[in-house]
Amino acid sequence: MTGKVVVCVAAHPDDEVLGVGGTLIRHARSGDRVEIIILSDGEAAKTAAAPRDAERTAKPAEWADREGCSIRRIFDLPDQRFDTVPMVEIASLLTGELTALDADVVYTHHPGDLNHDHRITAQAVLVALRPMHAGGKSPSVFAFETPSSTDQAPNAEPFSFLPNHFVVLDDVLEDKMNALEVYENELGAPPHPRSRESIRALAAKRGAECGASAAEAFVTLRSVWN
């Protein structure tokens, strides 16, 4: 994968680390250019029981700069209300960015995720990356799982996350865990899926599925050898 342009499109700050952080770090260390696009601040829909973090949009750069990744854009779509924005508008935002980046590989949410912002993000990415508009190059697209939303969906179609692509994290799991510390306010206590213990357990489970100590898992939405 060396020398590729790799793009992650996530709905909220923390999704990019929870779902694909280890993989992005591995890409960067392999010599790939890693760009991250986030669509909202992830804060506006919080209730009084979950105090807002006024600095949350600054958090992605804290870990990304350290790991050789770049924050391309953080948009201001309404948190947990992506469905109030016409799909054509969201897709247009992404079309402009993805066209300019000329990506080889794109990671985004699973289209069956229980969180509707995540689902809409995945749909918008696929619209923006339609091969007919790819200008002769169509990137491979992989869907990641987001602890506390992908795993909370029913284990039935169209929600099921059935991974068929794995990235081994044996050498970068601790770096992913360190990156997650910038989002300390978003982590929970066991047995919450976003607890440190649960995130490690998921990495171990995905690793066992592919013969490694730790891994992140993906659903291949499109695989292209350009």
Side-chain angles (χ1 to χ4, degrees):
M1 299 295 290
T2 302
K4 301 290 186 180
V5 177
V6 176
V7 181
C8 170
V9 182
H12 316 106
D14 78 350
D15 293 334
E16 83 286 359
V17 183
L18 286 166
V20 70
T23 298
L24 298 181
I25 292 169
R26 242 196 104 172
H27 273 295
R29 292 188 182 174
S30 297
D32 295 333
R33 173 186 171 190
V34 178
E35 299 282 350
I36 299 168
I37 298 170
I38 299 173
L39 296 184
S40 79
D41 65 5
E43 290 290 315
K46 284 186 173 179
T47 64
R52 295 187 182 183
D53 181 357
E55 303 298 322
R56 187 165 172 185
T57 54
K59 301 294 176 66
E62 289 185 32
W63 77 264
D65 290 348
R66 182 172 69 237
E67 297 296 347
C69 303
S70 298
I71 305 303
R72 172 77 176 188
R73 286 290 301 273
I74 299 179
F75 289 101
D76 59 354
L77 295 183
D79 181 34
Q80 299 304 328
R81 295 176 57 236
F82 285 16
D83 56 340
T84 66
V85 182
M87 174 59 70
V88 65
E89 293 184 14
I90 303 175
S92 293
L93 292 176
L94 292 177
T95 297
E97 295 294 334
L98 294 170
T99 299
L101 288 168
D102 196 23
D104 297 287
V105 180
V106 176
Y107 296 99
T108 192
H109 294 279
H110 185 247
D113 201 290
L114 196 60
N115 183 297
H116 67 284
D117 281 3
H118 296 182
R119 290 198 307 272
I120 291 169
T121 298
Q123 293 165 1
V125 166
L126 292 174
V127 171
L129 293 177
R130 287 177 293 179
M132 63 185 287
H133 294 309
K137 178 174 138 181
S138 182
S140 295
V141 186
F142 300 98
F144 56 78
E145 57 185 331
T146 311
S148 79
S149 53
T150 313
D151 53 303
Q152 300 296 297
N155 189 21
E157 294 297 342
F159 305 101
S160 298
F161 181 83
L162 302 173
N164 54 15
H165 179 77
F166 297 84
V167 175
V168 173
L169 302 186
D170 291 0
D171 295 333
V172 297
L173 178 60
E174 293 309 314
D175 300 287
K176 170 177 176 164
M177 299 306 299
N178 289 336
L180 275 170
E181 291 303 319
V182 306
Y183 295 115
E184 183 178 3
N185 292 343
E186 306 306 315
L187 301 178
H192 195 287
R194 285 202 313 273
S195 69
R196 295 167 179 82
E197 294 83 354
S198 295
I199 292 166
R200 285 185 180 277
L202 178 61
K205 178 179 186 296
R206 295 311 187 191
E209 293 171 359
C210 67
S213 297
E216 286 173 339
F218 303 87
V219 173
T220 303
L221 301 180
R222 179 185 302 142
S223 180
V224 181
W225 185 358
N226 285 295

